[in-house]
Amino acid sequence: MEPEIEQDRANDALEAETLFDAPTMAEQERMVEAVLFASKEPVTIRELMSRLPKGCDALQAVEQLRNRYEGRGVRVVQVGPAYAIRTAPDLAHIMQKETVENRKLSRAAIETLAIVAYHQPVTRAEIEEIRGVSVSRGTIDQLLELDWIRLGRRKMTPGRPVTFVVTPTFLDQFGLESARDLPGLKELRGAGLLENRPPSGLFGGDETAEEQAELFEDADPAQTSG
Amino acid sequence: MEPEIEQDRANDALEAETLFDAPTMAEQERMVEAVLFASKEPVTIRELMSRLPKGCDALQAVEQLRNRYEGRGVRVVQVGPAYAIRTAPDLAHIMQKETVENRKLSRAAIETLAIVAYHQPVTRAEIEEIRGVSVSRGTIDQLLELDWIRLGRRKMTPGRPVTFVVTPTFLDQFGLESARDLPGLKELRGAGLLENRPPSGLFGGDETAEEQAELFEDADPAQTSG
Amino acid sequence: MAEISLFPTEDQSVEDRLAAEALIVDVDGFEGPLDVLLMLSRTQKVDLRKISVLQLARQYLTFVERAKELRIELAADYLVMAAWLAFLKSRLLLPPDPTEEGPSGEELAAHLAFQLERLQAMRDAAARLLARDQLGRDFFARGYTETVTRVRSVNYSANLLDLMQAYARIRTKEEFRPFVMDRESIFTMEEALERMRGLLGFAGSWTDMMNYLPIEWQGEAEKRRSATAATFAAALQLAKEGKLELRQNETFAPIQMRSRSEEE
């Protein structure tokens, strides 16, 4: 947490004590409910705190609200560091009217997306190494435009190539709480399939492969949710 | 209630008996909840009936849902012949943020911003030189006000002009971890963002690109996070 | 086990051949050589870890041969892969040469198997990802967003693509000016040749090439660069003509030259 926020909270606590009592937890829950209902986009805890009166505990209120909606027609879901209300997936069949036709993604785009999600942060060269074919210009553009991927940190390898990581929008789209919840992530990692083994000079020199593997180990998978 | 609807309901009930059982009332309530939540407009009983499975009693489900939301942060309200979920009126004061108007940044502003991001720390005169046109005060002010750029160190040149650098808010807005992660000219070209190449790289064009890249490498990353 | 799955053999029925030809036309549909290999490996119907790379290499080479016979244009990477697989095949078949450097045939084969398994894993992962409940298809966001109060604030939006495109636009602007020759800072090879021919007679001993740059071209970086390039090109031309000799002691060391005419 940044010192600035710490400071804010300290101030909040002070003001709350001196000026008025914070609303009851039931009241806080109502407020969180209203805010989450009013927004299409996930709302971060930080944003909730800024909108609730001083002295509120937004996180606890959200958790309580989440429990309350368990099993209902809509539910509280976590999307990275934020929360949103979404309809229950089992009711998809009565929601045809709201269904939006998504642009069909090409096979290349889908594979590229999966590689970014499972291997992030990943460079274009690494995507190409895994797919064994060059990534066309439009593919990356399309994923950037959908706001499903974004630029991550540059890699500390020669040329300092840019990397790609997935976004909160991606998490929201696929109903994931964080990139850690990707299906089969553990199994793939266990099977060594997310490693970037040195290709022993196979197709095109990839001297960077080893360094990349290290970098990946260091990378915090939570960074997309942070 | 209109006689027509009565008739529909009678028909539905008949069909339900002959074909299959209607969902439980709890289930019907969940469905109504999801539909009211996801719909842009208030939904009529008639429309609800057409979306729920045969044999459902939409009216009763709506009434039950309305009771359930009694005293919560949102409520089921009747709008003419239709129903909708709306924020409880006593919470209006925390709903202010929903009325933000989205406007695209002007071309001058986005170009100025791009130059600051790529060339920081950069003076106003340098921005004008790169853009080839003068930069209005309003443009700089707007970017300052948005907290996307801020004043950097004064330059150690005659007149000691002020410089501009990008802010953490900027990084946040554009989903960057640091300004160093911005793609260089070559990468922009690789990504197809620079469609048109000069007939040949003979005169100057590419040379400046390289110089730019160098300049970029030298940029101090600390200053964006400061 | 079937040797060829993609191409017809002579005794196949017409339907079989038609089906196979449909596949051939689909070469365009393959996403590169790894994709073809993955497809071929399916005929082995085994765990990708236990795949016979040797057999796969044979199948791939047959695939490329057939494509050639049928005059299908294969992209360069397909041919590169064919060459590499032919090399791998020979490594796998011949007893290992202890003097040979680099990874063994088995290591190369194991890596290829790993690559195939990894690609297949990513495809499966992509399929699983797409099979998940999705926003706007299986679950939905709020349809109506509240506009209760009249507090209006303007939110200026711009995304990374806008930013990058703006920058790209500025940086390429100068590339679109009318075509003019900027000759001011260009020292041509012709000029350099002319100058060097005049100076050749005095070049008896080894002299740093940079000394041949006209004095007025030695200052400014831009001019010096152009003059250096032109002088170097001219020196190569003269060396080719047998009029001078060039030497360089090590990489990036000064290039020295001297006239040859005196020795003759």
Side-chain angles (χ1 to χ4, degrees):
Chain A
M1 184 151 303
E2 290 165 48
E4 195 184 296
I5 297 178
E6 289 278 15
Q7 192 55 45
D8 279 351
R9 289 177 82 191
N11 286 344
D12 291 352
L14 198 69
E15 277 183 58
E17 269 169 44
T18 51
L19 292 175
F20 39 67
D21 290 331
T24 61
M25 187 43 69
E27 191 59 19
Q28 291 182 34
E29 199 193 306
R30 284 186 75 226
M31 292 174 176
V32 169
E33 188 176 34
V35 172
L36 292 191
F37 258 89
S39 172
K40 263 197 179 75
E41 311 294 329
V43 184
T44 62
I45 288 292
R46 196 176 173 162
E47 162 106 20
L48 278 173
M49 300 232 291
S50 79
R51 292 179 61 180
L52 264 51
K54 307 279 178 194
C56 286
D57 186 341
L59 191 61
Q60 198 193 326
V62 166
E63 282 307 330
Q64 221 166 288
L65 191 71
R66 202 212 286 244
N67 290 336
R68 186 179 298 273
Y69 277 92
E70 201 77 58
R72 313 257 343 130
V74 297
R75 357 175 261 173
V76 177
V77 298
Q78 189 182 347
V79 184
Y83 291 84
I85 298 182
R86 300 285 181 252
T87 65
D90 68 297
L91 298 177
H93 62 285
I94 57 161
M95 308 299 291
Q96 297 95 336
K97 201 185 165 196
E98 275 75 31
T99 304
V100 279
E101 263 318 307
N102 262 330
R103 222 179 344 161
K104 266 275 176 199
L105 282 184
S106 67
R107 184 169 144 190
I110 291 162
E111 280 180 26
T112 302
L113 178 65
I115 292 169
V116 173
Y118 284 83
H119 288 258
Q120 64 174 336
V122 66
T123 66
R124 186 169 170 147
E126 286 158 359
I127 297 170
E128 295 183 339
E129 216 269 317
I130 293 169
R131 296 195 62 229
V133 69
S134 62
V135 176
S136 83
R137 307 194 307 206
T139 305
I140 299 259
D141 277 4
Q142 195 185 8
L143 295 173
L144 281 171
E145 221 164 290
L146 282 165
D147 190 27
W148 285 358
I149 68 172
R150 65 173 180 85
L151 294 171
R153 260 185 215 130
R154 275 174 189 273
K155 203 153 252 188
M156 292 301 154
T157 52
R160 306 195 60 234
V162 296
T163 65
F164 299 99
V165 296
V166 292
T167 64
T169 311
F170 164 85
L171 298 178
D172 196 14
Q173 176 71 30
F174 293 96
L176 294 161
E177 286 197 4
S178 88
R180 278 179 233 240
D181 299 325
L182 284 165
L185 187 67
K186 262 189 204 142
E187 292 83 340
L188 288 171
R189 189 168 283 153
L193 290 169
L194 299 184
E195 288 163 25
N196 229 319
R197 287 193 202 159
S200 35
L202 260 193
F203 320 111
D206 245 35
E207 312 80 23
T208 55
E210 221 151 354
E211 288 164 77
Q212 195 279 326
E214 276 164 36
L215 191 123
F216 186 71
E217 290 310 316
D218 288 342
D220 178 10
Q223 72 193 19
T224 50
S225 57
Chain B
M1 179 131 322
E2 293 162 2
E4 195 184 293
I5 296 179
E6 289 279 13
Q7 191 52 47
D8 279 352
R9 287 172 82 188
N11 284 346
D12 291 351
L14 197 69
E15 277 183 62
E17 268 169 45
T18 50
L19 290 174
F20 41 77
D21 289 332
T24 62
M25 186 45 68
E27 192 59 19
Q28 294 182 33
E29 197 193 310
R30 285 184 77 227
M31 292 174 176
V32 169
E33 188 177 33
V35 170
L36 292 190
F37 170 83
S39 172
K40 272 196 178 63
E41 313 285 336
V43 187
T44 62
I45 291 293
R46 196 174 179 160
E47 160 140 21
L48 276 174
M49 300 238 288
S50 76
R51 290 177 67 173
L52 266 49
K54 301 281 177 199
C56 285
D57 185 339
L59 190 61
Q60 197 193 329
V62 167
E63 283 307 330
Q64 220 167 291
L65 190 70
R66 202 214 284 249
N67 289 337
R68 187 180 297 271
Y69 276 98
E70 201 70 60
R72 308 278 328 146
V74 293
R75 335 176 287 171
V76 175
V77 297
Q78 195 169 349
V79 185
Y83 292 85
I85 298 179
R86 296 288 181 261
T87 310
D90 66 304
L91 295 178
H93 62 285
I94 59 165
M95 306 309 300
Q96 291 176 355
K97 272 217 164 173
E98 292 312 311
T99 56
V100 284
E101 192 181 314
N102 280 307
R103 237 182 257 171
K104 274 272 176 198
L105 212 56
S106 72
R107 181 171 164 157
I110 187 95
E111 286 186 10
T112 304
L113 183 63
I115 292 168
V116 175
Y118 276 91
H119 291 263
Q120 63 171 345
V122 64
T123 67
R124 183 163 164 174
E126 285 163 348
I127 297 171
E128 296 185 335
E129 195 194 327
I130 295 167
R131 278 196 72 213
V133 285
S134 64
V135 175
S136 83
R137 223 198 122 129
T139 303
I140 301 257
D141 282 352
Q142 188 189 14
L143 294 174
L144 284 169
E145 211 168 297
L146 284 165
D147 191 26
W148 284 353
I149 66 171
R150 64 175 179 82
L151 294 176
R153 258 184 220 129
R154 277 177 187 276
K155 203 156 216 187
M156 290 302 152
T157 52
R160 306 198 61 230
V162 295
T163 62
F164 299 99
V165 295
V166 292
T167 63
T169 314
F170 163 84
L171 296 178
D172 206 32
Q173 167 79 23
F174 291 88
L176 291 165
E177 297 190 2
S178 93
R180 303 187 94 173
D181 295 329
L182 279 169
L185 265 201
K186 273 187 193 152
E187 286 161 314
L188 289 178
R189 196 166 265 155
L193 291 164
L194 286 182
E195 291 291 353
N196 303 296
R197 307 193 65 142
S200 73
L202 271 182
F203 303 107
D206 274 312
E207 209 170 283
T208 46
E210 222 131 14
E211 277 166 7
Q212 193 277 326
E214 275 164 35
L215 186 125
F216 188 64
E217 290 309 316
D218 290 341
D220 178 7
Q223 69 205 9
T224 53
S225 53
Chain C
M1 197 162 286
E3 211 13 62
I4 302 155
S5 60
L6 282 179
F7 298 101
T9 49
E10 296 316 314
D11 53 35
Q12 271 176 316
S13 71
V14 176
E15 290 89 80
D16 285 346
R17 249 181 282 172
L18 276 177
E21 273 170 24
L23 254 180
I24 298 161
V25 175
D26 214 21
V27 160
D28 283 340
F30 280 114
E31 297 254 343
L34 266 193
D35 191 28
V36 171
L37 279 169
L38 198 54
M39 205 278 210
L40 290 171
S41 73
R42 282 196 198 113
T43 61
Q44 294 192 21
K45 288 183 184 129
V46 289
D47 187 337
L48 277 172
R49 281 164 204 259
K50 294 176 195 141
I51 199 170
S52 161
V53 169
L54 186 59
Q55 193 185 338
L56 201 56
R58 285 199 188 111
Q59 288 181 341
Y60 185 87
L61 293 173
T62 315
F63 161 82
V64 170
E65 278 310 306
R66 285 300 182 115
K68 270 189 202 154
E69 274 172 37
L70 293 161
R71 295 188 192 162
I72 292 168
E73 294 276 339
L74 283 182
D77 25 332
Y78 287 84
L79 302 176
V80 170
M81 176 63 94
W84 185 81
L85 284 174
F87 163 76
L88 176 61
K89 199 175 106 182
S90 68
R91 280 228 166 168
L92 288 171
L93 289 174
L94 297 172
D97 178 354
T99 63
E100 196 109 52
E101 285 191 7
S104 70
E106 275 70 28
E107 282 164 351
L108 293 174
H111 186 75
L112 179 61
F114 165 71
Q115 279 189 304
L116 291 176
E117 197 192 349
R118 184 174 58 180
L119 180 59
Q120 185 59 54
M122 279 302 110
R123 293 217 168 138
D124 296 344
R128 273 206 268 178
L129 196 59
L130 287 192
R132 285 184 70 86
D133 290 332
Q134 283 189 50
L135 180 65
R137 191 187 72 185
D138 306 295
F139 61 91
F140 298 85
R142 182 78 162 121
Y144 170 88
T145 44
E146 309 258 333
T147 48
V148 201
T149 53
R150 263 141 273 143
V151 180
R152 234 208 267 156
S153 66
V154 179
N155 179 25
Y156 285 99
S157 67
N159 61 32
L160 191 63
L161 267 187
D162 298 334
L163 189 79
M164 295 191 303
Q165 276 161 350
Y167 189 67
R169 197 164 56 219
I170 306 162
R171 297 306 308 208
T172 46
K173 219 185 280 171
E174 58 215 60
E175 293 177 2
F176 295 120
R177 69 209 163 108
F179 186 77
V180 284
M181 298 285 273
D182 284 345
R183 310 230 36 154
E184 268 172 45
S185 305
I186 303 289
F187 193 61
T188 65
M189 184 180 149
E190 287 71 31
E191 287 172 285
L193 256 182
E194 200 175 316
R195 179 179 161 80
M196 302 253 313
R197 284 192 205 279
L199 292 171
L200 259 185
F202 308 102
S205 56
W206 288 108
T207 314
D208 187 341
M209 186 189 79
M210 297 305 282
N211 293 338
Y212 285 85
L213 263 52
I215 191 82
E216 64 274 22
W217 287 79
Q218 287 181 13
E220 248 174 86
E222 206 180 13
K223 285 184 150 189
R224 192 175 62 238
R225 211 156 25 190
S226 170
T228 306
T231 304
F232 179 61
L236 289 180
Q237 176 63 33
L238 290 169
K240 195 171 142 196
E241 290 172 15
K243 298 205 169 100
L244 60 77
E245 288 180 303
L246 290 169
R247 75 170 187 194
Q248 188 180 27
N249 289 331
E250 56 180 28
T251 316
F252 299 125
I255 295 168
Q256 299 179 316
M257 54 199 212
R258 72 173 177 194
S259 163
R260 270 189 71 176
S261 46
E262 276 181 316
E263 288 170 36
E264 284 163 27

